[in-house]
């Protein structure tokens, strides 16, 4: 595995793949790698043998009072995991390497970016899209892989890629879960044993909503809300049922793939999860 930090080194490493006529896949991450991230790498490998992983904790996507400073960072442990996965290139830029002194937020997540997670985390998605755009420009990959757990993020990245990076295929990889059902996340490190148990109830509540029968959107949401009432330790933020293709709320009569979203704060940690429902 080649570890690079500057855009120039990255371009050279990617050029070496191009010389060998290999397609390139990018897996962007913020590090603190867990099995969910490793599954993204496996998914990338299904498309091409040449995989670039980036690790960069992007200051632009953290709001004031969020966990930028305490976000878990263990670059050597991460590098070891990536070596064991035989990743080709690990890109670990500094803020200066990546942004070259220009920290302007250049991307807008638009109307959908202000809803759900965006309502709770203003400007988060604009900052997230800005770093993803910089990474897409730098790597010029054929594939970029993202996890289904961050469903709204994935939707917005797809939207941006369609408009600005039409040759890039954005690949969705399924959510990887703990045995308890809790979706894997680097932020799970913040949870103690009690809160881990509470957090696992999010998926249980989503499943109750899924089982409520895909007839009325209001019934689905009520079923999840009632289930969450049994878990007062989790501070529910929102439950939303959205069309997978537009992220607009599902209305009665909709037919197609919908995504049932949930966000709650457990202890001090904001958690999100989702499952698909077919209407
Ligand atoms: O999902 C993440 O880890 C981050 O939001 C991403 C896509 C790497 C951008 O910083």
């Amino acid at each position: 595995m080649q570890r690079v930090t500057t855009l120039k080194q990255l371009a050279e490493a990617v050029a070496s793949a191009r010389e060998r006529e290999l397609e390139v896949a990018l897996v962007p991450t913020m590090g603190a790698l867990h099995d969910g991230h490793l599954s993204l790498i496996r998914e990338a490998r299904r498309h091409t043998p040449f995989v670039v992983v980036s690790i960069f904790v992007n200051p632009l996507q953290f709001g004031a009072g969020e966990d930028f400073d305490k976000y878990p960072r263990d670059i050597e442990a991460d590098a070891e995991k990536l070596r064991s996965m035989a990743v080709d290139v690990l890109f670990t830029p500094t803020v200066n390497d990546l942004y070259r002194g220009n920290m302007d937020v250049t991307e807008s997540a638009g109307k959908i970016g202000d809803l759900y997670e965006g309502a709770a985390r203003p400007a988060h998605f604009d900052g997230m899209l800005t770093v993803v755009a910089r990474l897409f420009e730098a790597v010029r990959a054929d594939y970029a892989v993202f996890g289904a757990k961050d469903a709204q993020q994935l939707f917005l990245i797809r939207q941006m890629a369609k408009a600005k990076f039409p040759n890039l295929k954005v690949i969705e990889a399924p959510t990887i879960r703990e045995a308890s059902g809790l979706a894997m996340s680097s932020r799970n490190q913040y949870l103690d044993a009690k809160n881990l148990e509470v957090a696992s109830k999010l998926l249980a509540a989503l499943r109750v909503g899924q089982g409520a029968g895909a007839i009325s959107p209001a019934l689905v949401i009520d079923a999840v809300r009632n289930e969450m009432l049994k878990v007062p330790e989790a501070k529910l933020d929102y439950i939303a049922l959205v069309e997978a293709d537009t992220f607009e709320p599902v209305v009665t009569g909709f037919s197609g793939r919908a995504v049932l979203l949930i966000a709650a704060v457990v202890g001090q940690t904001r958690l999100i999860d989702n499952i698909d429902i077919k209407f």
Side-chain angles (χ1 to χ4, degrees):
M1 182 178 80
Q2 200 181 345
R3 182 165 161 188
V4 299
T5 54
T6 67
L7 291 173
K8 185 166 177 287
Q9 291 167 336
L10 175 67
E12 284 165 5
V14 172
S16 78
R18 297 295 182 200
E19 276 158 22
R20 287 179 280 150
E21 298 189 356
L22 292 176
E23 288 193 306
V24 175
L26 169 66
V27 180
T29 81
M30 298 205 299
L33 301 179
H34 49 67
D35 285 355
H37 293 112
L38 304 188
S39 79
L40 303 182
I41 296 165
R42 277 184 213 104
E43 179 62 36
R45 276 267 160 63
R46 293 182 52 238
H47 299 275
T48 172
F50 195 92
V51 178
V52 178
V53 174
S54 62
I55 296 182
F56 180 66
V57 184
N58 172 33
L60 291 183
Q61 70 187 76
F62 290 79
E66 289 191 349
D67 57 344
F68 176 71
D69 287 334
K70 75 164 188 175
Y71 196 84
R73 292 164 171 87
D74 191 347
I75 199 78
E76 293 314 322
D78 287 347
E80 200 42 54
K81 286 181 189 161
L82 297 176
R83 243 174 251 121
S84 75
M85 299 279 296
V87 160
D88 298 274
V89 179
L90 167 59
F91 179 46
T92 55
T94 62
V95 169
N96 261 339
D97 289 326
L98 190 60
Y99 286 121
R100 296 175 160 179
N102 181 358
M103 298 276 288
D104 292 349
V105 173
T106 58
E107 308 303 315
S108 165
K111 187 182 83 167
I112 299 296
D114 291 336
L115 303 175
Y116 324 118
E117 277 308 283
R121 307 184 65 192
H124 162 67
F125 284 126
D126 295 348
M128 179 280 295
L129 287 179
T130 297
V131 78
V132 171
R134 294 295 84 79
L135 291 167
F136 284 178
E137 287 160 5
V139 180
R140 300 255 153 229
D142 303 281
Y143 307 92
V145 185
F146 297 89
K149 183 183 81 80
D150 297 300
Q152 190 178 3
Q153 165 173 287
L154 177 60
F155 170 81
L156 293 168
I157 290 171
R158 274 194 201 289
Q159 208 174 42
M160 177 179 77
K162 200 169 159 204
K164 298 195 166 175
F165 303 92
N167 296 327
L168 175 75
K169 292 170 210 67
V170 175
I171 311 288
E172 170 175 349
T175 301
I176 303 297
R177 299 183 179 279
E178 305 289 352
S180 67
L182 174 64
M184 287 194 187
S185 161
S186 304
R187 289 191 168 97
N188 291 352
Q189 291 187 25
Y190 302 150
L191 302 171
D192 62 16
K194 173 75 191 124
N195 283 336
L196 279 169
E197 196 195 322
V198 172
S200 71
K201 308 288 186 210
L202 266 63
L203 177 67
L206 289 175
R207 287 209 169 121
V208 171
Q210 198 178 38
I215 304 155
S216 146
L219 279 183
V220 171
I221 289 176
D222 283 352
V224 181
R225 196 176 303 284
N226 287 337
E227 205 54 29
M228 288 304 291
L229 286 175
K230 299 177 195 163
V231 197
E233 304 91 334
K235 205 165 146 281
L236 182 64
D237 180 0
Y238 62 82
I239 302 160
L241 184 61
V242 300
E243 295 181 17
D245 290 345
T246 63
F247 255 67
E248 298 283 357
V250 168
V251 293
T252 307
F254 168 73
S255 132
R257 183 185 152 214
V259 188
L260 181 58
L261 307 165
I262 192 166
V265 177
V266 176
Q268 303 296 314
T269 306
R270 183 179 178 79
L271 299 173
I272 58 172
D273 202 350
N274 68 81
I275 49 175
D276 278 11
I277 301 189
K278 182 100 185 66
F279 273 80

